[in-house]
Structure formats: structure tokens, C-alpha cells
Amino acid sequence: DGGITQSPKYLFRKEGQNVTLSCEQNLNHDAMYWYRQDPGQGLRLIYYSQIVNDFQKGDIAEGYSVSREKKESFPLTVTSAQKNPTAFYLCASGGQGAHEQYFGPGTRLTVT
Amino acid sequence: GDSVTQMEGPVTLSEEAFLTINCTYTATGYPSLFWYVQYPGEGLQLLLKATKADDKGSNKGFEATYRKETTSFHLEKGSVQVSDSAVYFCALSPNQAGTALIFGKGTTLSVSS
């Protein structure tokens, strides 16, 4: 079954701790994306990667970091520098030359 | 820059009613347009798409037509069901493939029996 997996579904952390969210895809897609969703605000782009070992900042990259060492994987680290990290995080991927993106089930992060 | 504006919700309908959710966009060139649906606690699912002017995307009884003259991509369904209750997002992809989507803020649809 092809698709995008994100783990865990729910994540709880204390303030000041870094946390890494997992995103894996077996769709053989070149491009991968991280979005953040807050109530009533739609989706905002954090980082994206069009190819292995390369990635670009999105609109709200401050306090986040990513890596793209494998085509299938695009983990997102939420650092302690992110001022308001509690949110729903969505990973997506897209094929070469394609405009549409396919989304994973999301990870809900709560930081207290 | 490019942007998407969609009608604010919530939209509350009775089962079998007609649905319209308005979406307009601002973009340079010829973007691709999408509707995504999100059920509670889940990720987004691609509902339908259109890649050029006058294209009509359709899926599961939902339709939307890419209108370049009015820069619109309104979502319609002739007869909604309770199971259609969800949040609907209009989105655009700029000219170049592989760049991020630009989303509207979403419209919540609630259908009662």
C-alpha cells in the first residue's frame, strides 16, 4: 500500500525540549513538505525539499529544522526556540512534475 | 504574492441540500487549482483538481470549474450527505511544479439529517 506515514499521532513534550516528528513515504516522490495547521488559520509552510540533501525554508521556518538524507524520509525537529509549538503538523509529498500533493495523517504536538 | 480566499464558515446544511463553497484566487500565470477535504483529526485528502482554464474537476459528486475570467474555483455538490461534514480547503499551485501549495483558511461544513 503506497502512502505517507507520520508518527506518532499524538506527542506530548515539556517546554525546552527538542522533539522530532517522523515522515516517511513510499510513493517514490521527489518533493516533500511540512505544514503547520492552527485552528482557523489554514496551513502554513514550514520547510520543503525537492530533492535529497536539499531543502528550503518556508514561511514559518524559525524554530524548526529538517533533514533529507533519504528520498523516503523527511523528519522535522521542533526546537526549544519555537515560541508556540503546540499545533497539528502535516507532512506531504509530490511527484516530479506534478502540482498536487498527498498528505499524511498528521501529528498533534502538545507542549506544556 | 499568490493567495487564496474562500468563504468563511461554518456552513450548515440539511441532508440533500445543494452546496456551494466559494473560492477565489490571486496568482500570476496559470496556477493549478485544488480542493482538499479534512475529516476530524485526520490529514488532508485531495478531492479534485483542475490544471487549466475551463477544466472541470469532479469526484464523489463534488465539482469545481476553473474560471480564469473570474479567478474562481467554487466547489459544488447537488445533494450533500451527513458523511460530507468536514473542513474543505481550496488551494493553488503556482506555475512551477514542486513548489508548495497555497491554501485558503478552510470552510467547515456541517450536514444534519
Side-chain angles (χ1 to χ4, degrees):
Chain A
D1 237 351
I4 302 173
T5 57
Q6 292 186 243
S7 59
K9 190 165 178 63
Y10 299 95
L11 193 51
F12 298 88
R13 281 295 182 270
K14 295 290 188 187
E15 251 182 52
Q17 292 179 335
N18 291 355
V19 60
T20 298
L21 282 59
S22 168
C23 177
E24 305 275 333
Q25 54 98 359
N26 61 5
L27 300 167
N28 199 32
H29 285 170
D30 289 305
M32 297 186 73
Y33 309 82
W34 276 105
Y35 295 90
R36 170 180 170 141
Q37 185 178 21
D38 296 283
Q41 292 203 38
L43 276 71
R44 294 182 289 169
L45 180 68
I46 304 173
Y47 269 97
Y48 68 103
S49 168
Q50 294 178 318
I51 197 169
V52 174
N53 292 324
D54 188 42
F55 47 83
Q56 286 77 43
K57 293 183 179 180
D59 301 320
I60 56 166
E62 185 175 349
Y64 300 97
S65 66
V66 293
S67 62
R68 185 87 187 275
E69 296 177 3
K70 298 186 301 182
K71 187 175 185 177
E72 303 80 25
S73 177
F74 192 41
L76 173 74
T77 296
V78 184
T79 75
S80 56
Q82 168 48 233
K83 296 195 184 326
N84 187 16
T86 294
F88 191 49
Y89 291 87
L90 287 158
C91 179
S93 70
Q96 186 177 21
H99 289 264
E100 62 267 28
Q101 294 175 18
Y102 296 90
F103 284 78
T107 292
R108 186 166 297 282
L109 172 65
T110 302
V111 177
T112 57
Chain B
D2 296 353
S3 66
V4 173
T5 302
Q6 59 182 106
M7 60 188 287
E8 291 191 17
V11 174
T12 304
L13 296 172
S14 298
E15 207 165 23
E16 299 183 5
F18 185 84
L19 169 71
T20 300
I21 300 178
N22 290 339
C23 172
T24 57
Y25 68 91
T26 302
T28 54
Y30 302 93
S32 295
L33 301 173
F34 306 91
W35 277 100
Y36 282 85
V37 59
Q38 184 180 35
Y39 298 99
E42 297 184 7
L44 275 66
Q45 298 176 25
L46 178 62
L47 182 59
L48 53 84
K49 67 178 183 181
T51 57
K52 61 183 188 296
D54 300 324
D55 265 2
K56 177 185 279 190
S58 61
N59 186 25
K60 300 180 181 179
F62 291 90
E63 292 183 340
T65 301
Y66 189 147
R67 301 281 188 208
K68 190 158 179 65
E69 63 276 13
T70 55
T71 62
S72 65
F73 192 54
H74 305 320
L75 182 68
E76 297 182 336
K77 187 175 186 184
S79 175
V80 293
Q81 306 300 312
V82 172
S83 57
D84 293 327
S85 298
V87 181
Y88 292 82
F89 291 93
C90 185
L92 73 81
S93 172
N95 280 343
Q96 183 182 355
T99 55
L101 296 176
I102 296 167
F103 286 88
K105 293 189 175 183
T107 302
T108 299
L109 170 65
S110 179
V111 180
S112 58
S113 58

